Amino acid sequence: MKVKHILYFLFLFHSFAYAQESLDFNAKKNISSPEVNGKTVTFRLFAPQAKTVKIQGNWMDSSPVDLQKGTDGVWSFSKADFTPDIYTYSFLVDGVKANDPNNAYQVRDVSSLMSMFLVAGPQSSSYEVQRVPHGSVTKRWYASIGLQEDRRLTVYTPPGYESNKGKYPVLYLLHGMGGDEEAWMTLGRASQILDNLIASGQAKPMIVVMPNGHTSNAAAPGESAKGFYKIDMMTPDIFTGDMETYFHEIISFTEKNYRVKSDAKDRAIAGLSMGGFHSLYISANQPKMFDYIGLFSPAILPPQNKQSPIYSDLDAKLDVQKNNGYKLYWIGIGKTDFLYQSVTDFRNKLDKNNFKYIYVESEGGHTWSNWRTYLNEFVPQLFK
Amino acid sequence: MKVKHILYFLFLFHSFAYAQESLDFNAKKNISSPEVNGKTVTFRLFAPQAKTVKIQGNWMDSSPVDLQKGTDGVWSFSKADFTPDIYTYSFLVDGVKANDPNNAYQVRDVSSLMSMFLVAGPQSSSYEVQRVPHGSVTKRWYASIGLQEDRRLTVYTPPGYESNKGKYPVLYLLHGMGGDEEAWMTLGRASQILDNLIASGQAKPMIVVMPNGHTSNAAAPGESAKGFYKIDMMTPDIFTGDMETYFHEIISFTEKNYRVKSDAKDRAIAGLSMGGFHSLYISANQPKMFDYIGLFSPAILPPQNKQSPIYSDLDAKLDVQKNNGYKLYWIGIGKTDFLYQSVTDFRNKLDKNNFKYIYVESEGGHTWSNWRTYLNEFVPQLFK
């Protein structure tokens, strides 16, 4: 680049920086953080007046850890030997949460925003955007007659869907209590996982439909007529039976609007936590609908609305499902998950009834790291 | 709700909260911030150890303003008489930038993340999600032969597009130097503006195509094979002529893949800042392509690559464009925009050549507030 070009850019940069709404060009010192160097990551924060700066990360079992202050007012902390994965963290500056102002990448989980980074390696390459054909991701609305409102869902269509003529199998992929129709794309990296598995021939091209599992919310926070309301996890719609009751609307919307195969052997349903609970009951109540079922750390807890016919006679329903036959019933849970015991109880019930399933027990707990891994393992087994 | 239901929720809430990756359930005191009460907004932060807490908002011309500390360790600041609009802000805690931990809504502008809120009123109702039919928004990739890579764009299709049979007009909508193919949806609220204008009959149903205007980036940060790189505004692709040269690929992709009308009277192009510059030169170089052109605070600056045929003979090209005819050439700029003089110079050139245009001079500067307003004014004038 010629000198005059460099000068030109400097001029532009300063003009635009001044004009941007970005408010913190002066408040942050432009340092490198997080600096990912192989499996070692260094975190830095410019905070000359702070008395303490700590970091809390999702790889830590412990309390927040102190950063060390340098003579230039930059605090820092390094950690080696990260397992390749996506990680989240926040700083605590004199007790106040502050995300890393030098890191533009954040994710929201429930009502919390956290800085994020990726440590590259074999285990995390499926979460990266690779130079492979990419599917399309659409935010779309369907009319729910049962819930009397338009509701939003996310649809992944595989590379080539628009130009091909053929029909595709469908995976319905459900989120947990803290999530919405965006969670599998943001925290779950579903489009990257699907793109990469399809490109390498490990998975069949498929459509993935990700609805919103909260029947009291039409869409993700900020994307519905509720506006920018304060997010509260205590939505009164958990385990009421409404999601299961009206799920057929999502299936018919999909089958009407996309070129999909509409028989059980080309339909899968899977979900994490609350979505695992939903997948269990949706498939048990419609025992001819899905040949593939995935329960990722499922929240198999006593249903709130016990009177609902959705939750009655589960044993008899599972018996019908078993006799109808299915190709895959997949259950995954982490060894330290707080739901471990309830999943063990459910497995005992299945064992007693000779209900066949694949069981994967992983390290760790109730985490997106596990759910990304489960999706990566589950999807290649579909529609074979 | 019965007591046992409430207890049940409390149990679930605490179990899941413990299990979430959300790291700051203890670090933040769960207070209401920002509290929007009509046109008065109160900001609060729990920071008992801090020596100073300031707020910097995009409504302020001044330096950051102090919050006052209460006896409970909660700092607060109120301001009345907000004009209805979307606003962004950050706190400064002992000099360190911290977004509001009680506000889950953030936007990214270039490399900065800011907390956001909306003050409701007539001027901002077009940015809100209303109970009207919603269009679909798709993130999709097209193959660029000229740039030798797959590139991402965002496509808005209006309500009913999927079930109707007819063809639609298209608006190509370009972002500025700090943006990408997501900026018009996040900061620009384009899908809400289009949904609301179409629902009220003020705008014709149309498709809106929002490409990435940086030819050195295939997609928004984090969405391309570059991974989670550190964002730098000084990309060496500004005003090189590449965006203009290869724009025909985006038009042919759109016309091949969507049911669109393909004549000048059903094509519009508009852009903000750098995208206004692009819109000027794309339309001037293809003078029979667009009947509607919108320049929103356009960055009409000396092109970097003066040798490019794209930038040569502008006067002659504008003359051809004038003689071909067009329906609308719309220019908007704020009175305090740092680009005001260059737009005045360009208007003088147009006036001298009897090149007709509509000119709107607004209050304020180089801001998303203006660009949302301009889009809201421009779109109803299209395809009449």
Side-chain angles (χ1 to χ4, degrees):
Chain A
M1 200 154 51
K2 292 178 197 153
V3 169
K4 68 171 183 174
H5 286 171
I6 294 171
L7 289 174
Y8 182 71
F9 282 133
L10 282 173
F11 158 73
L12 275 180
F13 179 73
H14 285 289
S15 308
F16 280 84
Y18 174 75
Q20 292 291 338
E21 298 202 31
S22 340
L23 307 164
D24 55 343
F25 276 92
N26 301 315
K28 73 182 179 194
K29 192 172 174 179
N30 195 31
I31 50 185
S32 179
S33 181
E35 188 178 307
V36 182
N37 202 334
K39 292 179 181 172
T40 300
V41 182
T42 303
F43 306 88
R44 295 185 179 92
L45 184 73
F46 179 60
Q49 298 174 62
K51 277 171 285 183
T52 63
V53 177
K54 293 172 187 283
I55 183 170
Q56 174 84 0
N58 71 338
W59 62 89
M60 293 160 50
D61 290 325
S62 60
S63 306
V65 166
D66 284 313
L67 278 74
Q68 299 305 315
K69 189 176 183 176
T71 49
D72 53 357
V74 176
W75 299 69
S76 63
F77 169 76
S78 280
K79 181 187 151 11
D81 295 324
F82 272 97
T83 307
D85 203 340
I86 289 168
Y87 294 94
T88 58
Y89 67 101
S90 295
F91 293 128
L92 288 170
V93 181
D94 290 340
V96 178
K97 183 200 169 200
N99 286 330
D100 190 340
N102 285 289
N103 182 354
Y105 302 99
Q106 284 195 1
V107 278
R108 180 179 62 77
D109 195 9
V110 196
S111 62
S112 294
L113 293 146
M114 295 155 293
S115 298
M116 74 182 283
F117 62 96
L118 182 140
V119 176
Q123 299 101 311
S124 64
S125 61
S126 56
Y127 314 147
E128 296 181 70
V129 178
Q130 310 282 359
R131 294 190 192 278
V132 298
H134 301 300
S136 300
V137 177
T138 300
K139 303 290 170 69
R140 194 166 165 181
W141 297 75
Y142 72 99
S144 169
I145 308 225
L147 297 166
Q148 302 185 318
E149 65 183 358
D150 286 350
R151 294 176 57 77
R152 196 163 171 259
L153 38 70
T154 305
V155 181
Y156 169 89
T157 51
Y161 171 81
E162 294 93 346
S163 47
N164 291 347
K165 291 262 158 77
K167 291 189 170 187
Y168 291 79
V170 188
L171 164 62
Y172 296 89
L173 187 59
L174 313 185
H175 63 80
M177 184 165 122
D180 53 58
E181 77 277 12
E182 298 186 339
W184 267 112
M185 304 310 287
T186 54
L187 289 149
R189 308 288 291 175
S191 67
Q192 288 81 16
I193 289 172
L194 266 290
D195 281 353
N196 294 331
L197 287 174
I198 292 169
S200 66
Q202 290 172 268
K204 290 210 170 173
M206 66 185 76
I207 288 172
V208 185
V209 176
M210 290 156 274
N212 187 311
H214 287 295
T215 50
S216 63
N217 290 340
E223 301 291 335
S224 75
K226 280 190 183 177
F228 299 140
Y229 61 96
K230 190 166 171 77
I231 301 170
D232 186 346
M233 285 223 301
M234 294 177 68
T235 47
D237 61 8
I238 301 159
F239 313 146
T240 57
D242 281 351
M243 182 66 183
E244 298 89 336
T245 302
Y246 300 115
F247 198 79
H248 67 92
E249 296 183 330
I250 293 165
I251 299 175
S252 26
F253 173 81
T254 303
E255 302 193 347
K256 220 177 206 168
N257 285 277
Y258 292 87
R259 294 195 320 278
V260 296
K261 299 178 181 173
S262 50
D263 38 41
K265 72 180 197 327
D266 293 301
R267 269 195 219 103
I269 188 165
L272 73 90
S273 195
M274 176 182 84
F277 175 91
H278 286 153
S279 299
L280 190 172
Y281 280 99
I282 291 167
S283 62
N285 279 284
Q286 302 187 68
K288 295 186 173 182
M289 193 59 88
F290 305 97
D291 267 359
Y292 300 88
I293 297 107
L295 313 184
F296 303 170
S297 319
I300 310 179
L301 298 169
Q304 170 197 353
N305 181 359
K306 282 181 186 150
Q307 293 79 11
S308 168
I310 291 291
Y311 301 128
S312 64
D313 305 318
L314 180 59
D315 287 24
K317 286 171 182 170
L318 288 172
D319 225 42
V320 174
Q321 199 174 2
K322 180 181 76 180
N323 294 332
N324 275 339
Y326 49 81
K327 302 210 168 163
L328 177 67
Y329 204 98
W330 193 97
I331 303 173
I333 191 151
K335 285 175 188 163
T336 61
D337 196 314
F338 75 106
L339 294 168
Y340 186 88
Q341 188 53 49
S342 62
V343 167
T344 306
D345 295 345
F346 180 66
R347 286 174 51 221
N348 289 338
K349 177 208 286 281
L350 295 181
D351 290 341
K352 219 169 62 187
N353 292 299
N354 285 316
F355 190 105
K356 294 231 165 65
Y357 61 93
I358 301 283
Y359 177 62
V360 171
E361 197 169 285
S362 64
E363 299 301 316
H366 209 64
T367 63
W368 275 103
S369 177
N370 271 337
W371 302 326
R372 287 187 293 264
T373 304
Y374 297 165
L375 184 68
N376 221 7
E377 281 189 44
F378 180 69
V379 162
Q381 301 178 55
L382 300 180
F383 316 124
K384 297 289 180 189
Chain B
M1 200 155 50
K2 291 178 198 154
V3 169
K4 67 170 185 176
H5 285 172
I6 294 171
L7 289 173
Y8 181 73
F9 281 133
L10 281 173
F11 158 74
L12 275 179
F13 179 72
H14 286 288
S15 308
F16 280 84
Y18 174 78
Q20 292 291 338
E21 298 200 30
S22 338
L23 305 165
D24 54 343
F25 277 92
N26 300 316
K28 74 181 177 193
K29 192 173 175 179
N30 195 31
I31 51 184
S32 178
S33 181
E35 188 178 307
V36 182
N37 202 335
K39 292 180 180 171
T40 301
V41 182
T42 303
F43 307 89
R44 296 185 179 91
L45 184 73
F46 179 62
Q49 299 173 61
K51 277 172 286 183
T52 62
V53 177
K54 293 172 187 282
I55 184 170
Q56 174 85 359
N58 71 338
W59 63 89
M60 293 159 50
D61 289 325
S62 61
S63 306
V65 166
D66 284 313
L67 278 73
Q68 299 305 316
K69 190 177 184 177
T71 50
D72 53 356
V74 175
W75 299 69
S76 63
F77 170 76
S78 281
K79 181 185 150 13
D81 295 324
F82 272 98
T83 306
D85 203 340
I86 289 168
Y87 294 94
T88 58
Y89 67 102
S90 296
F91 292 129
L92 289 169
V93 182
D94 289 340
V96 177
K97 184 201 168 199
N99 285 331
D100 189 340
N102 285 289
N103 182 355
Y105 302 99
Q106 284 196 2
V107 279
R108 180 177 63 76
D109 195 10
V110 195
S111 61
S112 294
L113 294 146
M114 295 154 293
S115 299
M116 74 183 283
F117 64 95
L118 181 140
V119 176
Q123 298 101 314
S124 65
S125 61
S126 55
Y127 314 148
E128 295 182 71
V129 178
Q130 310 282 358
R131 294 190 192 280
V132 299
H134 301 300
S136 299
V137 177
T138 300
K139 304 290 170 72
R140 195 167 165 179
W141 298 75
Y142 72 99
S144 169
I145 310 226
L147 297 166
Q148 302 185 320
E149 65 184 358
D150 287 349
R151 295 174 57 77
R152 195 162 172 261
L153 38 71
T154 304
V155 181
Y156 169 88
T157 52
Y161 171 81
E162 295 92 347
S163 47
N164 291 347
K165 292 263 157 76
K167 292 189 169 184
Y168 291 79
V170 188
L171 163 62
Y172 296 90
L173 187 58
L174 313 184
H175 62 79
M177 185 166 121
D180 53 60
E181 76 278 13
E182 299 187 337
W184 266 112
M185 305 308 288
T186 54
L187 290 150
R189 308 287 291 174
S191 67
Q192 287 81 12
I193 290 172
L194 267 289
D195 282 353
N196 294 332
L197 287 174
I198 292 169
S200 66
Q202 290 173 270
K204 289 208 169 176
M206 65 185 77
I207 289 172
V208 185
V209 175
M210 291 156 275
N212 188 311
H214 287 294
T215 50
S216 62
N217 290 339
E223 300 291 335
S224 75
K226 279 189 183 178
F228 299 139
Y229 62 95
K230 191 166 170 75
I231 301 169
D232 187 346
M233 284 225 301
M234 293 176 67
T235 46
D237 61 9
I238 301 161
F239 314 145
T240 58
D242 281 352
M243 183 63 184
E244 298 89 335
T245 302
Y246 301 115
F247 198 80
H248 67 93
E249 296 184 329
I250 293 165
I251 298 175
S252 28
F253 173 81
T254 303
E255 301 194 347
K256 221 179 206 163
N257 285 277
Y258 292 87
R259 294 194 320 278
V260 297
K261 299 178 182 173
S262 49
D263 37 43
K265 74 179 192 333
D266 293 301
R267 269 195 219 103
I269 188 165
L272 74 90
S273 195
M274 176 182 85
F277 175 93
H278 287 152
S279 299
L280 190 171
Y281 280 100
I282 291 167
S283 62
N285 279 282
Q286 302 186 67
K288 293 185 174 183
M289 193 59 87
F290 305 96
D291 266 0
Y292 300 87
I293 296 106
L295 313 184
F296 303 170
S297 319
I300 309 178
L301 298 168
Q304 168 197 355
N305 181 358
K306 284 183 186 150
Q307 293 78 13
S308 168
I310 291 290
Y311 301 127
S312 62
D313 305 317
L314 179 59
D315 288 24
K317 287 171 182 170
L318 288 172
D319 225 42
V320 174
Q321 199 173 1
K322 179 181 76 179
N323 294 333
N324 275 339
Y326 50 81
K327 301 210 171 166
L328 178 67
Y329 204 98
W330 192 97
I331 303 173
I333 191 152
K335 285 175 187 162
T336 61
D337 195 315
F338 75 106
L339 294 168
Y340 186 88
Q341 187 54 49
S342 61
V343 168
T344 306
D345 295 346
F346 180 66
R347 286 173 52 220
N348 288 340
K349 179 208 285 278
L350 294 182
D351 291 339
K352 221 171 59 188
N353 292 299
N354 285 315
F355 190 104
K356 295 229 165 67
Y357 60 93
I358 300 284
Y359 177 62
V360 171
E361 198 169 285
S362 64
E363 298 301 316
H366 210 65
T367 63
W368 275 103
S369 176
N370 271 338
W371 302 326
R372 287 187 292 264
T373 303
Y374 297 166
L375 184 68
N376 221 6
E377 281 190 43
F378 180 69
V379 163
Q381 301 179 55
L382 300 180
F383 315 126
K384 296 291 179 186

